[in-house]
Amino acid sequence: MKKTVAEIAQFIGAELDGDGAIELTGIATLATARPGQLSFLANSAYVKYLSTTQASAVILSNEHVAHCPTASLILGNPYLGYAKVTALFDAVPNGAPGVDPSATIDPRASVDPSASIGPNAVVQAGAVIHKHVQIGAGCVIGHDSVIGQGSRLYPSVVIYHGVELGKNVVIHSGAVIGSDGFGNAKSGDKWIKIHQLGGVIIGDEVEIGACTTIDRGALDNTRLANGVKIDN
C-alpha cells in the first residue's frame, strides 16, 4: 500500500507543510520510523524524538511544526489523525463473496450473495446474513440470528440463537455471544436451572474483543448500544 503525503493530509483533514508528493508505505513511532514511513506526535513525552526522526512525514499539532525535520500534517488532534490513517494501511485480508464448499448453510437460512462465508462455518435455520458480511472460518451462526450489513466475524466466533447484530459490527476470534446467563433456583438439595429466555441485541459500529462472552438475558434482551467497544 502506497499513499502520498498529500493524499493522507486530505484523508485526515490535515494542513500540509512540506512535500506532498512523498510516498508513504506504512506507519511507525517517531523513534523507529524509517524513510517512507509516517509517524505522529500526540504525547509531549515523545517530543525528544521529533528532531531526529527518520519518518518521511509526521502528524502533529501546530506547536511542534517548527521542530519537525520533515513534512508535517498539522492537526488539532494528532492522535485522532493517526487513528484515521491506520485504516489506509490495514492489511487484514477480505474474503471473496460466496460460500466456502466446506461450510454448512441450512437451506432455511438467508445469505446475501455479497457475503463471504469461510471454511467450516455453520449457518443454522432462520439465520439472516446481510450484505458484505464476512464470516470467518469455523464460525457458528445460530438459529434465527441476524448479522447486519458490513459486519465481520473473525474465525471461531459463536453466535447462539436469537442474537441480532447491527451494521459494521466487528467480533474477534473466540467470542461467544448469546450463551446462557447464570441462573438457578434451589429445590431441596438440588439446583433447578432458570432457562434464559432473552436474547442479545447489538447495535451498529460495535467492536468486541477476542474471547469475550456476552450472555443472553434471563427474560429481557441483553443490549449493547451503538458504538460500544469491548476489549478482551
Side-chain angles (χ1 to χ4, degrees):
M1 176 67 71
K2 291 184 179 180
K3 292 289 182 182
T4 66
V5 172
E7 287 173 329
I8 290 175
Q10 183 177 19
F11 181 76
I12 65 175
E15 177 187 348
L16 173 59
D17 181 9
D19 186 357
I22 298 171
E23 289 189 332
L24 301 174
T25 59
I27 309 173
T29 66
L30 288 170
T32 63
R34 295 293 179 260
Q37 291 184 308
L38 172 69
S39 193
F40 67 99
L41 175 60
N43 186 326
S44 59
Y46 298 98
V47 170
K48 59 186 177 182
Y49 298 114
L50 179 59
S51 63
T52 58
T53 187
Q54 295 184 48
S56 292
V58 180
I59 303 170
L60 38 58
S61 61
N62 192 60
E63 64 180 305
H64 298 301
V65 173
H67 304 287
C68 185
T70 186
S72 299
L73 287 78
I74 306 164
L75 276 178
N77 186 343
Y79 195 67
L80 178 58
Y82 156 65
K84 290 179 177 179
V85 82
T86 56
L88 297 178
F89 296 98
D90 188 2
V92 174
N94 290 319
V99 178
D100 188 272
S102 64
T104 301
I105 311 296
D106 191 284
R108 293 165 291 177
S110 174
V111 178
D112 190 273
S114 66
S116 175
I117 311 297
N120 299 310
V122 175
V123 180
Q124 296 181 337
V128 178
I129 311 297
H130 284 287
K131 293 180 179 179
H132 309 301
V133 166
Q134 301 263 320
I135 303 293
C139 290
V140 177
I141 312 299
H143 292 269
D144 302 316
S145 286
V146 177
I147 311 300
Q149 180 175 327
S151 293
R152 181 173 196 140
L153 277 58
Y154 282 87
S156 301
V157 169
V158 176
I159 306 293
Y160 276 57
H161 64 281
V163 171
E164 182 178 338
L165 273 57
K167 297 178 181 178
N168 303 316
V169 173
V170 176
I171 304 182
H172 291 275
S173 293
V176 178
I177 313 298
S179 50
D180 279 358
F182 188 74
N184 296 275
K186 195 70 179 288
S187 175
D189 59 353
K190 296 182 179 181
W191 292 98
I192 305 300
K193 178 181 177 63
I194 299 172
H195 292 274
Q196 306 294 286
L197 306 182
V200 177
I201 298 178
I202 294 175
D204 300 338
E205 308 288 343
V206 171
E207 184 161 359
I208 297 169
C211 296
T212 301
T213 60
I214 299 176
D215 292 344
R216 62 197 318 110
L219 294 175
D220 297 326
N221 296 318
T222 299
R223 294 179 180 268
L224 274 66
N226 294 344
V228 168
K229 312 294 182 185
I230 298 177
D231 195 12
N232 51 354

